[in-house]
Amino acid sequence: MRISIHSIGPAGRLLALAATVLLGACSGQAPLEQASGGNGLSTTVQTDTTATLPTEACGLLTPGEVASLTGRPVQQQAQGDACRFVEADQPASPDAVVMVSFRPAAAFQIAQAGNDLKRSISPVSGLGHEAYYDDSHGDLYVQLPTRTLVISMPRRVKSYSRERIAPELGRLAIARLAVRR
């Protein structure tokens, strides 16, 4: 059975458009929460030590900066178009200490909608761009002109506050983006 977009009517087309926007926002092969590790499930991550790091996402933070703020020695790894920082003594771990990625612009609207629903999402100031922090998943969303910068801290750790560190990592990343322009 084939269904034409024209045969489903205005309400159906609107629903199809909304689904397309949501699917586009989650283009990292998983929903935003899952892509950042926020679902609590671990998957095996293939580490290719010969791969070159994605130039943009991996150029925004250094292992030294992440280690300094989290108090954990980390190693930088590429994972698709994202950049992961894993504990240096556990390079094969599927759990990232920090993950940096760019998402479509629609990802910011999804985070913003979560704030409107009064979930655990709070505005973050001082980044030069509109930003939200999602404490449930440890994700900082920063609205850029054509996309969304996401800095994820998926694991809760008692020795530091994700809510305090994520904006600091965001400031460093935004400063590097500004220099590149």
Side-chain angles (χ1 to χ4, degrees), residues 159-175:
S159 62
Y160 60 82
S161 164
R162 297 183 308 174
E163 187 174 359
R164 183 187 60 76
I165 293 173
E168 290 301 319
L169 293 170
R171 284 178 188 75
L172 293 168
I174 293 297

Side-chain angles (χ1 to χ4, degrees), residues 35 71 97-98 138 141 157 165:
V97 175
V98 171
Y141 297 90
V157 179
I165 293 173

Side-chain angles (χ1 to χ4, degrees), residues 117-135:
L117 296 172
K118 306 296 185 238
R119 290 190 326 184
S120 59
I121 295 176
S122 54
V124 175
S125 60
L127 295 177
H129 299 276
E130 190 172 4
Y132 289 97
Y133 176 74
D134 178 350
D135 190 49

Side-chain angles (χ1 to χ4, degrees), residues 53 58 61-70 72-77 84-86:
L53 296 174
C58 285
L61 297 171
T62 68
E65 291 165 338
V66 172
S68 174
L69 286 167
T70 63
R72 298 181 175 289
V74 295
Q75 179 182 106
Q76 191 176 35
Q77 298 177 346
R84 300 174 71 237
F85 294 87
V86 297

